[in-house]
Amino acid sequence: MKIVSAKVIVTCPGRNFVTLKIQTDQGVYGIGDGTLNGRELAVVSYLEDHVIPCLIGMDPRRIEDIWQYLYRGAYWRRGPVTMRAIAAVDMALWDIKGKMAGMPVYQLLGGRSRDGVMVYGHANGSDIAETVDAVGQYIDMGYKAIRAQTGVPGIKDAYGVGRGKLYYEPADAALPSVTGWDTRKALNYVPKLFEKLRETYGFDHHLLHDGHHRYTPQEAANLGKMLEPYQLFWLEDVTPAENQEAFKLIRQHTVTPLAVGEIFNTIWDAKDLIQNQLIDYIRATVVGAGGLTHLRRLADLASLYQVRTGCHGATDLSPVTMGCALHFDTWVPNFGIQEYMRHSEATDEVFPHDYHFDKGYLFCGEAPGHGVDIDEELAAKYPYKPAYLPVARLEDGTMWNW
Protein backbone atom coordinates (compact mmCIF):
# COMPACT_ATOMS: atom_id res chain seq x y z
CA MET A 1 0.00 0.00 0.00
CA LYS A 2 1.42 3.39 -1.00
CA ILE A 3 0.57 7.06 -0.78
CA VAL A 4 0.04 8.24 -4.35
CA SER A 5 -1.05 11.83 -3.80
CA ALA A 6 -1.78 14.45 -1.19
CA LYS A 7 -3.30 17.91 -1.43
CA VAL A 8 -4.07 20.85 0.81
CA ILE A 9 -7.58 22.31 0.86
CA VAL A 10 -8.02 25.81 2.31
CA THR A 11 -11.58 26.92 2.98
CA CYS A 12 -13.25 29.71 4.96
CA PRO A 13 -16.83 28.85 5.94
CA GLY A 14 -16.84 31.59 8.58
CA ARG A 15 -13.15 31.15 9.43
CA ASN A 16 -10.10 29.64 7.73
CA PHE A 17 -9.28 25.93 7.89
CA VAL A 18 -6.33 24.01 6.44
CA THR A 19 -7.18 20.41 5.52
CA LEU A 20 -4.80 17.77 4.19
CA LYS A 21 -6.19 14.91 2.09
CA ILE A 22 -3.96 11.86 1.55
CA GLN A 23 -4.85 9.35 -1.19
CA THR A 24 -3.56 5.76 -1.40
CA ASP A 25 -3.18 3.39 -4.33
CA GLN A 26 -5.98 1.24 -2.92
CA GLY A 27 -8.57 4.01 -3.14
CA VAL A 28 -8.62 4.72 0.60
CA TYR A 29 -8.08 8.33 1.64
CA GLY A 30 -7.75 10.14 4.94
CA ILE A 31 -8.03 13.78 5.98
CA GLY A 32 -6.24 15.78 8.65
CA ASP A 33 -6.36 19.29 10.10
CA GLY A 34 -3.38 21.65 9.98
CA THR A 35 -5.09 24.92 10.92
CA LEU A 36 -2.99 27.55 12.73
CA ASN A 37 -5.20 30.51 13.55
CA GLY A 38 -3.92 33.63 11.78
CA ARG A 39 -0.96 31.76 10.24
CA GLU A 40 -2.76 29.28 7.99
CA LEU A 41 -0.73 30.00 4.87
CA ALA A 42 2.53 29.23 6.68
CA VAL A 43 1.28 25.68 7.31
CA VAL A 44 0.04 25.40 3.71
CA SER A 45 3.49 26.32 2.42
CA TYR A 46 5.24 23.88 4.75
CA LEU A 47 2.93 21.05 3.75
CA GLU A 48 3.08 21.69 0.02
CA ASP A 49 6.78 22.48 -0.26
CA HIS A 50 8.36 20.28 2.40
CA VAL A 51 6.02 17.49 3.53
CA ILE A 52 3.89 16.25 0.64
CA PRO A 53 6.84 15.54 -1.70
CA CYS A 54 8.29 13.26 1.00
CA LEU A 55 5.05 11.35 1.53
CA ILE A 56 4.61 10.12 -2.03
CA GLY A 57 5.46 6.41 -2.19
CA MET A 58 5.42 5.88 1.58
CA ASP A 59 3.36 3.13 3.21
CA PRO A 60 0.51 4.94 5.07
CA ARG A 61 0.21 2.07 7.54
CA ARG A 62 3.59 2.98 9.06
CA ILE A 63 2.18 5.83 11.14
CA GLU A 64 4.88 5.80 13.80
CA ASP A 65 7.73 5.70 11.30
CA ILE A 66 6.26 8.53 9.24
CA TRP A 67 5.77 10.62 12.40
CA GLN A 68 9.41 10.09 13.39
CA TYR A 69 10.54 10.84 9.81
CA LEU A 70 8.73 14.19 9.79
CA TYR A 71 9.79 15.13 13.33
CA ARG A 72 13.35 13.81 13.62
CA GLY A 73 14.05 14.40 9.96
CA ALA A 74 13.42 18.14 10.38
CA TYR A 75 16.53 19.61 11.96
CA TRP A 76 14.57 22.81 12.76
CA ARG A 77 11.70 21.27 14.69
CA ARG A 78 9.09 21.66 17.45
CA GLY A 79 7.61 24.95 16.18
CA PRO A 80 3.86 25.46 15.68
CA VAL A 81 4.04 25.37 11.87
CA THR A 82 6.05 22.14 11.76
CA MET A 83 3.97 20.38 14.40
CA ARG A 84 0.65 21.29 12.80
CA ALA A 85 1.84 20.02 9.47
CA ILE A 86 2.86 16.76 11.17
CA ALA A 87 -0.51 16.64 12.92
CA ALA A 88 -2.35 16.98 9.62
CA VAL A 89 -0.45 13.99 8.24
CA ASP A 90 -0.90 11.98 11.43
CA MET A 91 -4.67 12.51 11.58
CA ALA A 92 -5.03 11.53 7.94
CA LEU A 93 -3.00 8.35 8.49
CA TRP A 94 -5.09 7.30 11.50
CA ASP A 95 -8.17 7.95 9.38
CA ILE A 96 -6.80 5.66 6.68
CA LYS A 97 -5.81 3.01 9.22
CA GLY A 98 -9.30 3.01 10.71
CA LYS A 99 -10.95 2.75 7.31
CA MET A 100 -8.67 -0.16 6.37
CA ALA A 101 -9.50 -1.95 9.61
CA GLY A 102 -13.20 -1.12 9.42
CA MET A 103 -12.95 0.35 12.93
CA PRO A 104 -13.31 3.76 14.57
CA VAL A 105 -10.03 5.29 15.72
CA TYR A 106 -10.82 4.91 19.43
CA GLN A 107 -10.82 1.13 18.94
CA LEU A 108 -7.36 1.28 17.38
CA LEU A 109 -6.11 3.29 20.36
CA GLY A 110 -7.30 0.61 22.79
CA GLY A 111 -11.07 0.90 23.05
CA ARG A 112 -13.42 2.85 25.26
CA SER A 113 -12.55 4.14 28.70
CA ARG A 114 -15.94 5.92 28.92
CA ASP A 115 -19.28 6.10 27.18
CA GLY A 116 -19.40 9.85 26.55
CA VAL A 117 -17.06 12.85 26.75
CA MET A 118 -18.01 15.67 29.14
CA VAL A 119 -17.61 19.02 27.41
CA TYR A 120 -17.78 22.66 28.42
CA GLY A 121 -19.25 25.55 26.47
CA HIS A 122 -18.45 29.27 26.37
CA ALA A 123 -20.80 31.66 28.16
CA ASN A 124 -19.98 35.34 27.91
CA GLY A 125 -21.51 38.77 28.26
CA SER A 126 -20.66 42.43 28.26
CA ASP A 127 -21.16 42.52 32.03
CA ILE A 128 -21.90 40.18 34.93
CA ALA A 129 -25.66 40.17 34.39
CA GLU A 130 -25.32 39.17 30.73
CA THR A 131 -22.84 36.42 31.57
CA VAL A 132 -25.07 35.04 34.31
CA ASP A 133 -27.93 34.84 31.79
CA ALA A 134 -25.65 33.17 29.25
CA VAL A 135 -24.57 30.53 31.77
CA GLY A 136 -28.23 29.82 32.42
CA GLN A 137 -28.79 29.24 28.70
CA TYR A 138 -26.01 26.67 28.62
CA ILE A 139 -27.46 24.95 31.66
CA ASP A 140 -30.82 24.81 29.87
CA MET A 141 -29.08 23.15 26.89
CA GLY A 142 -27.86 20.40 29.18
CA TYR A 143 -24.25 21.44 29.76
CA LYS A 144 -22.71 20.24 33.00
CA ALA A 145 -19.66 22.52 32.65
CA ILE A 146 -19.48 26.11 31.44
CA ARG A 147 -16.63 28.56 30.95
CA ALA A 148 -17.70 32.02 32.09
CA GLN A 149 -16.12 35.25 30.77
CA THR A 150 -17.33 38.79 31.28
CA GLY A 151 -16.61 42.25 30.00
CA VAL A 152 -14.82 44.37 32.59
CA PRO A 153 -15.67 48.06 33.07
CA GLY A 154 -12.84 50.19 31.73
CA ILE A 155 -11.24 47.43 29.61
CA LYS A 156 -11.70 47.73 25.84
CA ASP A 157 -12.89 44.46 24.28
CA ALA A 158 -12.10 42.21 27.25
CA TYR A 159 -10.94 38.73 26.27
CA GLY A 160 -13.57 36.03 25.77
CA VAL A 161 -16.50 38.35 25.09
CA GLY A 162 -17.41 37.51 21.53
CA ARG A 163 -19.87 38.64 18.93
CA GLY A 164 -21.87 35.40 19.19
CA LYS A 165 -23.20 33.22 21.96
CA LEU A 166 -22.67 29.68 20.64
CA TYR A 167 -19.70 30.39 18.39
CA TYR A 168 -17.58 33.35 17.42
CA GLU A 169 -14.27 33.95 15.68
CA PRO A 170 -11.67 36.14 17.46
CA ALA A 171 -9.52 36.44 14.32
CA ASP A 172 -11.58 39.32 13.03
CA ALA A 173 -9.56 41.57 10.72
CA ALA A 174 -7.07 41.60 7.85
CA LEU A 175 -4.62 43.24 10.29
CA PRO A 176 -4.63 42.79 14.08
CA SER A 177 -7.19 44.83 16.00
CA VAL A 178 -6.13 46.34 19.33
CA THR A 179 -7.79 45.35 22.60
CA GLY A 180 -7.10 46.62 26.11
CA TRP A 181 -6.08 45.18 29.44
CA ASP A 182 -5.88 46.29 33.09
CA THR A 183 -5.08 43.62 35.65
CA ARG A 184 -6.31 45.57 38.67
CA LYS A 185 -9.71 46.17 37.12
CA ALA A 186 -10.01 42.48 36.23
CA LEU A 187 -9.00 41.32 39.72
CA ASN A 188 -11.63 43.62 41.22
CA TYR A 189 -14.39 42.37 38.91
CA VAL A 190 -13.95 38.72 37.93
CA PRO A 191 -14.47 37.26 41.45
CA LYS A 192 -17.81 39.11 41.60
CA LEU A 193 -18.93 37.20 38.52
CA PHE A 194 -18.38 33.82 40.15
CA GLU A 195 -19.93 34.98 43.42
CA LYS A 196 -23.08 35.87 41.46
CA LEU A 197 -23.00 32.63 39.46
CA ARG A 198 -22.84 30.45 42.58
CA GLU A 199 -25.49 32.56 44.26
CA THR A 200 -27.77 32.10 41.21
CA TYR A 201 -27.14 28.50 40.18
CA GLY A 202 -25.53 26.85 43.20
CA PHE A 203 -22.65 24.40 43.04
CA ASP A 204 -24.07 21.58 40.92
CA HIS A 205 -22.43 22.74 37.67
CA HIS A 206 -18.74 23.00 36.88
CA LEU A 207 -17.52 26.55 36.23
CA LEU A 208 -14.29 27.44 34.42
CA HIS A 209 -12.46 30.68 33.66
CA ASP A 210 -9.71 31.65 31.20
CA GLY A 211 -7.02 34.16 32.19
CA HIS A 212 -5.53 33.95 28.67
CA HIS A 213 -1.94 34.63 29.76
CA ARG A 214 -2.82 38.09 31.13
CA TYR A 215 -1.54 37.83 34.72
CA THR A 216 1.91 37.75 36.29
CA PRO A 217 2.48 34.73 38.58
CA GLN A 218 1.77 36.81 41.70
CA GLU A 219 -1.38 38.28 40.19
CA ALA A 220 -2.46 34.81 39.08
CA ALA A 221 -1.96 33.46 42.59
CA ASN A 222 -4.06 36.32 43.93
CA LEU A 223 -6.87 35.57 41.47
CA GLY A 224 -6.78 31.85 42.24
CA LYS A 225 -6.98 32.58 45.97
CA MET A 226 -9.96 34.91 45.55
CA LEU A 227 -11.80 32.32 43.44
CA GLU A 228 -11.36 29.44 45.90
CA PRO A 229 -14.78 29.89 47.58
CA TYR A 230 -16.50 29.32 44.22
CA GLN A 231 -14.84 25.96 43.56
CA LEU A 232 -13.84 26.38 39.93
CA PHE A 233 -13.26 23.30 37.81
CA TRP A 234 -10.13 25.10 36.63
CA LEU A 235 -8.42 28.43 36.07
CA GLU A 236 -6.96 28.32 32.57
CA ASP A 237 -3.82 29.89 31.07
CA VAL A 238 -3.59 32.25 33.99
CA THR A 239 0.03 33.22 33.24
CA PRO A 240 2.37 32.63 30.28
CA ALA A 241 3.96 29.19 30.51
CA GLU A 242 7.29 29.84 28.78
CA ASN A 243 8.82 29.93 32.27
CA GLN A 244 7.36 26.78 33.74
CA GLU A 245 8.74 27.53 37.20
CA ALA A 246 6.36 30.50 37.39
CA PHE A 247 3.61 28.03 38.24
CA LYS A 248 5.43 27.13 41.47
CA LEU A 249 4.54 30.53 42.92
CA ILE A 250 0.88 30.15 41.91
CA ARG A 251 0.74 26.61 43.33
CA GLN A 252 2.12 27.78 46.68
CA HIS A 253 -0.73 30.23 47.20
CA THR A 254 -3.92 28.69 45.81
CA VAL A 255 -5.68 25.34 45.55
CA THR A 256 -7.79 26.46 42.58
CA PRO A 257 -7.05 23.83 39.87
CA LEU A 258 -4.80 25.05 37.07
CA ALA A 259 -4.96 24.22 33.37
CA VAL A 260 -2.55 25.20 30.60
CA GLY A 261 -1.22 24.07 27.25
CA GLU A 262 -3.43 25.01 24.31
CA ILE A 263 -0.44 26.61 22.57
CA PHE A 264 2.00 23.82 23.46
CA ASN A 265 3.64 22.02 20.53
CA THR A 266 5.37 19.03 22.14
CA ILE A 267 5.71 17.01 25.31
CA TRP A 268 8.76 19.10 26.19
CA ASP A 269 6.59 22.20 26.66
CA ALA A 270 4.69 20.40 29.42
CA LYS A 271 7.33 18.09 30.93
CA ASP A 272 8.34 20.15 33.98
CA LEU A 273 4.80 21.36 34.67
CA ILE A 274 3.62 17.76 34.78
CA GLN A 275 6.56 16.18 36.59
CA ASN A 276 6.52 18.85 39.28
CA GLN A 277 2.72 18.59 39.57
CA LEU A 278 2.29 22.31 38.96
CA ILE A 279 -0.88 21.87 36.89
CA ASP A 280 -4.00 19.75 37.13
CA TYR A 281 -5.03 19.65 33.46
CA ILE A 282 -3.00 19.62 30.24
CA ARG A 283 -4.77 21.37 27.36
CA ALA A 284 -2.60 20.44 24.38
CA THR A 285 -4.55 19.67 21.21
CA VAL A 286 -4.39 16.95 18.59
CA VAL A 287 -3.51 19.51 15.92
CA GLY A 288 -1.16 21.58 18.08
CA ALA A 289 0.84 18.68 19.51
CA GLY A 290 1.62 16.76 16.35
CA GLY A 291 -1.40 14.49 16.11
CA LEU A 292 -2.71 11.49 18.00
CA THR A 293 0.64 9.70 17.89
CA HIS A 294 2.35 12.36 20.00
CA LEU A 295 -0.60 13.49 22.13
CA ARG A 296 -1.11 10.04 23.59
CA ARG A 297 2.52 10.05 24.78
CA LEU A 298 1.91 13.36 26.50
CA ALA A 299 -1.23 11.92 28.13
CA ASP A 300 0.69 8.85 29.32
CA LEU A 301 3.30 11.08 30.98
CA ALA A 302 0.54 13.14 32.60
CA SER A 303 -1.17 10.03 33.95
CA LEU A 304 1.90 9.19 36.05
CA TYR A 305 1.33 12.42 38.00
CA GLN A 306 -2.49 12.39 38.14
CA VAL A 307 -2.70 15.22 35.62
CA ARG A 308 -5.78 14.91 33.42
CA THR A 309 -6.50 16.00 29.86
CA GLY A 310 -8.61 19.00 28.91
CA CYS A 311 -8.00 19.52 25.19
CA HIS A 312 -8.52 22.95 23.66
CA GLY A 313 -11.56 22.93 21.39
CA ALA A 314 -12.37 26.43 20.16
CA THR A 315 -13.51 27.16 16.60
CA ASP A 316 -9.93 27.63 15.39
CA LEU A 317 -9.82 23.82 15.33
CA SER A 318 -11.75 22.26 12.49
CA PRO A 319 -14.31 19.46 12.93
CA VAL A 320 -11.51 17.13 11.82
CA THR A 321 -9.53 17.92 14.96
CA MET A 322 -12.70 17.75 17.06
CA GLY A 323 -13.49 14.31 15.66
CA CYS A 324 -9.97 13.07 16.40
CA ALA A 325 -10.06 14.65 19.86
CA LEU A 326 -13.27 12.81 20.71
CA HIS A 327 -11.77 9.46 19.74
CA PHE A 328 -8.75 10.34 21.88
CA ASP A 329 -11.00 11.48 24.77
CA THR A 330 -13.08 8.31 24.54
CA TRP A 331 -9.96 6.20 24.93
CA VAL A 332 -7.55 8.14 27.17
CA PRO A 333 -7.64 6.82 30.77
CA ASN A 334 -6.81 10.15 32.46
CA PHE A 335 -9.50 12.21 30.73
CA GLY A 336 -10.70 15.39 32.43
CA ILE A 337 -12.92 17.41 30.09
CA GLN A 338 -13.14 18.59 26.46
CA GLU A 339 -13.69 22.16 25.34
CA TYR A 340 -16.55 22.39 22.84
CA MET A 341 -17.08 25.67 21.08
CA ARG A 342 -19.66 24.93 18.41
CA HIS A 343 -18.89 25.50 14.76
CA SER A 344 -21.14 27.49 12.45
CA GLU A 345 -23.71 25.74 10.28
CA ALA A 346 -21.58 26.48 7.22
CA THR A 347 -18.54 24.81 8.79
CA ASP A 348 -20.56 21.74 9.76
CA GLU A 349 -21.83 21.48 6.19
CA VAL A 350 -18.32 21.62 4.73
CA PHE A 351 -17.10 19.03 7.24
CA PRO A 352 -19.82 16.36 7.65
CA HIS A 353 -19.19 14.32 10.80
CA ASP A 354 -20.73 11.60 12.90
CA TYR A 355 -20.09 12.95 16.43
CA HIS A 356 -23.02 14.45 18.33
CA PHE A 357 -23.92 16.31 21.53
CA ASP A 358 -26.40 15.09 24.13
CA LYS A 359 -27.02 16.26 27.72
CA GLY A 360 -23.59 17.75 28.34
CA TYR A 361 -21.60 15.06 26.53
CA LEU A 362 -20.15 14.60 23.06
CA PHE A 363 -20.16 11.13 21.54
CA CYS A 364 -17.83 10.06 18.75
CA GLY A 365 -19.39 7.92 16.06
CA GLU A 366 -18.72 4.35 14.98
CA ALA A 367 -17.73 5.07 11.37
CA PRO A 368 -14.36 3.61 10.35
CA GLY A 369 -11.60 6.18 10.81
CA HIS A 370 -12.21 9.42 12.71
CA GLY A 371 -15.67 9.96 11.22
CA VAL A 372 -15.12 13.39 9.65
CA ASP A 373 -15.00 14.15 5.93
CA ILE A 374 -14.80 17.24 3.72
CA ASP A 375 -17.15 18.32 0.94
CA GLU A 376 -14.57 19.68 -1.48
CA GLU A 377 -17.10 21.18 -3.87
CA LEU A 378 -18.75 23.12 -1.05
CA ALA A 379 -15.38 24.05 0.49
CA ALA A 380 -14.39 25.69 -2.80
CA LYS A 381 -17.25 28.15 -2.39
CA TYR A 382 -15.56 29.65 0.70
CA PRO A 383 -12.18 31.09 -0.38
CA TYR A 384 -9.43 32.02 2.07
CA LYS A 385 -9.78 35.38 3.83
CA PRO A 386 -6.80 36.97 5.64
CA ALA A 387 -7.63 37.19 9.35
CA TYR A 388 -5.43 38.00 12.32
CA LEU A 389 -5.99 37.47 16.01
CA PRO A 390 -6.12 40.70 18.04
CA VAL A 391 -3.30 42.14 20.12
CA ALA A 392 -3.57 43.70 23.58
CA ARG A 393 -2.12 46.86 25.07
CA LEU A 394 -2.19 48.30 28.58
CA GLU A 395 -3.73 51.72 29.18
CA ASP A 396 -0.32 53.40 28.72
CA GLY A 397 0.17 51.69 25.35
CA THR A 398 2.51 48.92 26.51
CA MET A 399 2.17 45.71 24.49
CA TRP A 400 0.72 42.87 26.55
CA ASN A 401 -0.23 39.21 26.03
CA TRP A 402 -3.40 38.71 24.07
Side-chain angles (χ1 to χ4, degrees):
M1 190 176 192
K2 302 295 182 184
I3 296 172
V4 294
S5 66
K7 64 179 178 179
V8 180
I9 304 163
V10 181
T11 183
C12 186
R15 60 103 47 240
N16 294 311
F17 296 109
V18 176
T19 305
L20 176 68
K21 185 173 184 178
I22 295 178
Q23 187 77 44
T24 71
D25 60 357
Q26 295 186 17
V28 181
Y29 69 86
I31 64 171
D33 179 23
T35 306
L36 178 57
N37 203 358
R39 297 294 185 271
E40 292 87 1
L41 296 186
V43 181
V44 172
S45 176
Y46 192 84
L47 281 168
E48 292 182 338
D49 297 335
H50 302 285
V51 174
I52 289 176
C54 299
L55 294 177
I56 305 306
M58 286 186 169
D59 184 343
R61 296 169 295 188
R62 298 182 61 171
I63 298 176
E64 183 65 46
D65 183 63
I66 290 175
W67 196 95
Q68 297 293 339
Y69 178 93
L70 295 175
Y71 181 80
R72 293 191 177 193
Y75 185 68
W76 311 106
R77 61 196 188 194
R78 291 181 57 189
V81 173
T82 298
M83 295 307 290
R84 289 185 185 238
I86 293 174
V89 175
D90 192 72
M91 282 185 249
L93 297 183
W94 279 100
D95 195 22
I96 291 170
K97 178 86 79 170
K99 290 173 179 175
M100 290 169 54
M103 301 170 68
V105 165
Y106 78 81
Q107 292 286 17
L108 302 181
L109 293 172
R112 287 186 179 275
S113 293
R114 59 199 48 81
D115 296 324
V117 172
M118 185 172 72
V119 299
Y120 70 89
H122 288 199
N124 66 84
S126 61
D127 56 23
I128 288 175
E130 276 195 14
T131 302
V132 171
D133 288 343
V135 169
Q137 293 170 17
Y138 274 90
I139 291 174
D140 291 343
M141 287 188 286
Y143 282 80
K144 303 179 184 304
I146 305 102
R147 192 189 84 167
Q149 306 289 141
T150 180
V152 178
I155 295 181
K156 177 181 180 291
D157 299 327
Y159 170 76
V161 181
R163 297 172 299 282
K165 297 303 180 184
L166 288 179
Y167 50 81
Y168 61 91
E169 174 50 50
D172 60 356
L175 290 174
S177 57
V178 179
T179 65
W181 181 251
D182 187 300
T183 298
R184 177 49 49 193
K185 291 174 181 175
L187 289 176
N188 287 338
Y189 198 72
V190 169
K192 297 176 183 177
L193 167 64
F194 289 92
E195 179 182 22
K196 187 63 177 179
L197 286 171
R198 289 307 189 193
E199 177 186 305
T200 304
Y201 301 114
F203 286 78
D204 289 341
H205 294 84
H206 300 298
L207 297 178
L208 305 85
H209 184 69
D210 187 356
H212 220 251
H213 314 285
R214 301 301 175 87
Y215 301 88
T216 66
Q218 188 276 335
E219 293 164 349
N222 190 12
L223 178 60
K225 189 72 174 177
M226 288 190 289
L227 292 174
E228 284 179 7
Y230 314 115
Q231 299 179 24
L232 267 63
F233 187 92
W234 77 34
L235 184 56
E236 172 189 339
D237 287 346
V238 74
T239 197
E242 287 95 336
N243 175 21
Q244 297 187 13
E245 288 195 357
F247 280 75
K248 287 183 179 179
L249 189 153
I250 304 171
R251 202 56 139 180
Q252 290 168 357
H253 294 284
T254 181
V255 296
T256 295
L258 302 174
V260 74
E262 70 181 50
I263 63 172
F264 287 179
N265 301 312
T266 72
I267 196 170
W268 303 105
D269 297 320
K271 182 179 76 72
D272 292 345
L273 289 169
I274 290 171
Q275 289 182 338
N276 294 317
Q277 296 178 271
L278 301 179
I279 58 174
D280 302 279
Y281 297 91
I282 178 64
R283 303 202 64 247
T285 68
V286 179
V287 66
L292 291 163
T293 297
H294 190 56
L295 187 60
R296 61 180 180 169
R297 289 200 172 91
L298 203 164
D300 283 342
L301 173 64
S303 71
L304 299 179
Y305 300 92
Q306 300 185 66
V307 174
R308 293 187 285 175
T309 65
C311 294
H312 177 63
T315 49
D316 61 320
L317 312 181
S318 91
V320 179
T321 287
M322 181 57 72
C324 288
L326 294 176
H327 284 273
F328 172 82
D329 296 335
T330 298
W331 157 76
V332 68
N334 51 320
F335 171 75
I337 200 169
Q338 170 67 53
E339 182 177 14
Y340 177 44
M341 190 176 176
R342 296 173 182 239
H343 290 104
S344 67
E345 291 183 6
T347 296
D348 286 336
E349 290 173 355
V350 170
F351 295 95
H353 53 267
D354 67 352
Y355 61 79
H356 70 279
F357 174 86
D358 185 43
K359 298 178 181 178
Y361 295 89
L362 276 175
F363 298 86
C364 65
E366 294 294 327
H370 54 51
V372 186
D373 208 339
I374 184 169
D375 184 331
E376 294 187 58
E377 184 176 338
L378 184 57
K381 296 180 180 180
Y382 298 101
Y384 169 79
K385 296 180 180 179
Y388 278 82
L389 290 170
V391 297
R393 291 185 182 274
L394 303 183
E395 287 186 347
D396 65 1
T398 302
M399 278 296 301
W400 204 241
N401 307 303
W402 184 79

